[in-house]
C-alpha cells in the first residue's frame, strides 16, 4: 500500500497538471492551437498569440442559460427560448444575430407586425436610395430607404438622427463607431460594423481609375 | 520517513489544488449573450430584484422596430426610458403588450427579471464595446488638396 501510494499520487498529479495546461491552452484560444501545442508552448509567454484583444465567441447563438447574462439559479431562465430554435429555416450570416433579417422579411419567412394589435396593417415603405460619395478609397455609401422603412418609421430617423435632405448631414466612420448617425442602430440591433459588413453600406464601387487624394505632407515633401 | 514522503505529496496536491482552482476561476463563464440583448438595471438591484433582460431578437421576429420605438415611445438608449413597474401596470412600455392580451402578463416576474444580480445596464454585443481602442478622431477638415497633377 505504502509502496504504491506514491506512484498513484504522482499519476494523479500528472493528470491534474495536464488538465491544467489544457485549460490554460483552451483559454489562450490561440487560432488553431490544439491541446498538444499548448503543452509544448506552456512555458512561452501567452502574449505572442494572434488576435489578442478581439477573441471571437465560440458559441454565437448560445441559449439563455449559457449566455453569461441570465441567472441560472432563476428557474424561468430555462423557460426562455434558445435563439437557434427560433432561427431554424431563416437565412444565415456570419455576424450579429447570424440571421439575415432583410432577406428573412423579404422572403416572408417572418411576419413582424407593423401595428401592435393589427397583424394586417402594411408598413409605409419608401424606395429611395441616397448615394453618399466617400473621399476615401472604399466604395461610396448607398443608403437604401426601402430596407429601413420596412422596419422603421420616418420619425425614428427624421429629424433627430438625420435632417431629411441629401448631403445635409455630416457623417463619418468615427461617429458611426461611437454609436452616432448610422451607428445608433448599426452595432446595436441592426447588423454590426466589422470587416465582413463594410460592403453592405459601402456598396457602390468607385470608377476603376479612382485614386485617393494625396495628403499635403506628400505634395510638399521636401525630400521628394 | 514514510510520513515525510506522504506529507510532501500532500503539499503537492494542495498546491495543485490551489492552481487548479485558480485556473478554473479564470475560466469563469465569458459573456456570449445574443446580439442586441439589453440588460436594464436602473432600479432592480436596489429593490432586490434580478435585473430585467430584454431580447431584441425575440421581439423583432414578432414586431417591427416601429411598434416600440415610434408608437410606444421607447427611446434608442439602454436604460434611457427609466422604466418602472408603475408605468408597466399602467400599460406603458413593456406593459403595452405584457398585459395578458398581446403577451403573457406581468405576474411572470422571473421571465423578465432573469439577469445575474449586479449586472449593470448594458447593450450586449455593441460595436462600441468591442473596440480595442477609442475610435480614431479625424483631423479638422482643411480645404481639400486635389491630386490632379
Amino acid at each position: 500500500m505504502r509502496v504504491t501510494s506514491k506512484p498513484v499520487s504522482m499519476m494523479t498529479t500528472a493528470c491534474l497538471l495536464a488538465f491544467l495546461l489544457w485549460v490554460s491552452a483552451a483559454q489562450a484560444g490561440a487560432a488553431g492551437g490544439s491541446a498538444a501545442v499548448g503543452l509544448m508552448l506552456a512555458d512561452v509567454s501567452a502574449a505572442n498569440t494572434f488576435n489578442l484583444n478581439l477573441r471571437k465567441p465560440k458559441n454565437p447563438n448560445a441559449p439563455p442559460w449559457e449566455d453569461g447574462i441570465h441567472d441560472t439559479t432563476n428557474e424561468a431562465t430555462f423557460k426562455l427560448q434558445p435563439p437557434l430554435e427560433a432561427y431554424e429555416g431563416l437565412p444565415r450570416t456570419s455576424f450579429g444575430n447570424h440571421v439575415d433579417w432583410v432577406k428573412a422579411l423579404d422572403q416572408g419567412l417572418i411576419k413582424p407586425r407593423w401595428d401592435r394589435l393589427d397583424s394586417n396593417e402594411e408598413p409605409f415603405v419608401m424606395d429611395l436610395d441616397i448615394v453618399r460619395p466617400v473621399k476615401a478609397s472604399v466604395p461610396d455609401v448607398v443608403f437604401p430607404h426601402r430596407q429601413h422603412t420596412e422596419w422603421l418609421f420616418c420619425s425614428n430617423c427624421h429629424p433627430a438622427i438625420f435632417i431629411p435632405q441629401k448631403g445635409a448631414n455630416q457623417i463619418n466612420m468615427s461617429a458611426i463607431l461611437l454609436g452616432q448617425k448610422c451607428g445608433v442602430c448599426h452595432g446595436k440591433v441592426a447588423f454590426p460594423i466589422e470587416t465582413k459588413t463594410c460592403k453592405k453600406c459601402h456598396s457602390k464601387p468607385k470608377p476603376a481609375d479612382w485614386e485617393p487624394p494625396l495628403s499635403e505632407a506628400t505634395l510638399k515633401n521636401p525630400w521628394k | 520517513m514514510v510520513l515525510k514522503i506522504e506529507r510532501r505529496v500532500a503539499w503537492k496536491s494542495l498546491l495543485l489544488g490551489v492552481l487548479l482552482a485558480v485556473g478554473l476561476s479564470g475560466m469563469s463563464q465569458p459573456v456570449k449573450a445574443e446580439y442586441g440583448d439589453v440588460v436594464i438595471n436602473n432600479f432592480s438591484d436596489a429593490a432586490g430584484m434580478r435585473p430585467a433582460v430584454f431580447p431584441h431578437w425575440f421581439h423583432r421576429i414578432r414586431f417591427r422596430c416601429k411598434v416600440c420605438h415610434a408608437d410606444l415611445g421607447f427611446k434608442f438608449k439602454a436604460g434611457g426610458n427609466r422604466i418602472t413597474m408603475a408605468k408597466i401596470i399602467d400599460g406603458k412600455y413593456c406593459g403595452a403588450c405584457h398585459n395578458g392580451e398581446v403577451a403573457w402578463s406581468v405576474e411572470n416576474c422571473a421571465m423578465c427579471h432573469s439577469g445575474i444580480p449586479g449586472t449593470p445596464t448594458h447593450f450586449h454585443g455593441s460595436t462600441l464595446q468591442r473596440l480595442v481602442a477609442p475610435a480614431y478622431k479625424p483631423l479638422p477638415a482643411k480645404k481639400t488638396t486635389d491630386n490632379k497633377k
Side-chain angles (χ1 to χ4, degrees):
Chain A
M1 185 57 207
R2 253 180 225 151
V3 184
T4 52
S5 87
K6 196 178 167 193
V8 165
S9 44
M10 287 301 269
M11 282 261 287
T12 332
T13 306
C15 284
L16 280 173
L17 195 67
F19 175 69
L20 198 67
L21 286 172
W22 172 76
V23 165
S24 51
Q27 238 182 307
S34 69
V37 174
L39 265 175
M40 270 154 46
L41 297 180
D43 49 357
V44 173
S45 167
N48 306 325
T49 53
F50 288 75
N51 215 354
L52 214 52
N53 295 309
L54 282 178
R55 277 180 205 126
K56 281 220 199 118
K58 279 204 190 107
N59 178 5
N61 300 122
W65 48 91
E66 284 172 18
D67 70 1
I69 62 171
H70 286 89
D71 192 346
T72 47
T73 64
N74 172 25
E75 272 171 47
T77 293
F78 296 89
K79 295 215 181 76
L80 298 173
Q81 188 177 38
L84 278 179
E85 194 184 296
Y87 296 167
E88 176 108 38
L90 299 183
R92 308 282 288 169
T93 63
S94 52
F95 44 78
N97 295 117
H98 292 235
V99 168
D100 190 325
W101 293 107
V102 171
K103 270 200 200 139
L105 189 66
D106 285 349
Q107 297 171 1
L109 299 169
I110 55 171
K111 295 185 185 66
R113 289 185 187 176
W114 179 253
D115 183 80
R116 181 170 55 101
L117 303 169
D118 182 358
S119 54
N120 293 317
E121 200 164 313
E122 290 293 319
F124 178 55
V125 178
M126 179 173 86
D127 196 354
L128 169 68
D129 284 355
I130 309 268
V131 179
R132 307 231 1 158
V134 178
K135 270 190 233 146
S137 59
V138 292
D140 290 344
V141 172
V142 180
F143 172 83
H145 268 92
R146 185 190 71 80
Q147 288 94 313
H148 288 92
T149 48
E150 286 278 2
W151 290 99
L152 296 144
F153 196 59
C154 319
S155 68
N156 284 133
C157 291
H158 299 309
I161 308 177
F162 302 108
I163 303 161
Q165 189 191 327
K166 193 173 186 281
N169 302 270
Q170 278 269 352
I171 312 176
N172 61 51
M173 239 18 242
S174 353
I176 295 175
L177 286 165
L178 289 172
Q180 292 151 11
K181 307 293 169 185
C182 318
V184 169
C185 302
H186 292 281
K188 298 283 180 54
V189 177
F191 65 79
I193 295 151
E194 43 186 88
T195 316
K196 285 181 201 140
T197 62
C198 304
K199 288 191 172 169
K200 278 175 102 66
C201 295
H202 293 276
S203 60
K204 186 168 178 267
K206 295 243 177 15
D209 59 349
W210 196 93
E211 270 191 59
L214 290 171
S215 57
E216 223 167 295
T218 299
L219 291 172
K220 291 190 186 150
N221 185 350
W223 295 288
K224 197 155 48 179
Chain B
M1 182 60 198
V2 167
L3 195 85
K4 237 186 208 159
I5 289 168
E6 276 185 350
R7 199 186 268 163
R8 226 176 50 211
V9 169
W11 266 110
K12 243 189 234 160
S13 317
L14 185 70
L15 190 70
L16 265 161
V18 170
L19 276 175
L20 192 68
V22 169
L24 282 174
S25 68
M27 215 169 56
S28 72
Q29 208 176 26
V31 176
K32 48 195 170 183
E34 188 64 9
Y35 182 68
D37 274 4
V38 199
V39 174
I40 312 176
N41 192 3
N42 287 326
F43 316 110
S44 301
D45 259 1
M49 290 295 288
R50 293 183 176 90
V53 181
F54 174 80
H56 263 101
W57 66 270
F58 183 96
H59 288 84
R60 75 179 295 184
I61 292 173
R62 291 161 176 79
F63 301 95
R64 319 250 176 168
C65 327
K66 175 255 187 192
V67 174
C68 292
H69 290 292
D71 298 353
L72 297 177
F74 280 101
K75 284 189 216 118
F76 287 138
K77 182 92 193 72
N81 296 280
R82 306 192 78 75
I83 304 168
T84 60
M85 291 316 290
K87 292 177 188 167
I88 291 178
I89 58 176
D90 281 345
K92 299 204 188 84
Y93 297 119
C94 321
C97 302
H98 288 278
N99 53 9
E101 315 234 333
V102 182
W104 42 259
S105 81
V106 81
E107 64 269 19
N108 299 290
C109 316
M111 290 290 279
C112 293
H113 292 278
S114 60
I116 294 172
T119 313
T121 300
H122 77 285
F123 213 91
H124 184 75
S126 101
T127 300
L128 185 53
Q129 283 170 19
R130 289 177 58 251
L131 294 181
V132 174
Y136 171 77
K137 282 224 169 58
L139 299 165
K142 277 196 237 148
K143 65 174 171 52
T144 45
T145 31
D146 249 355
N147 65 339
K148 283 185 199 94
K149 285 131 217 157

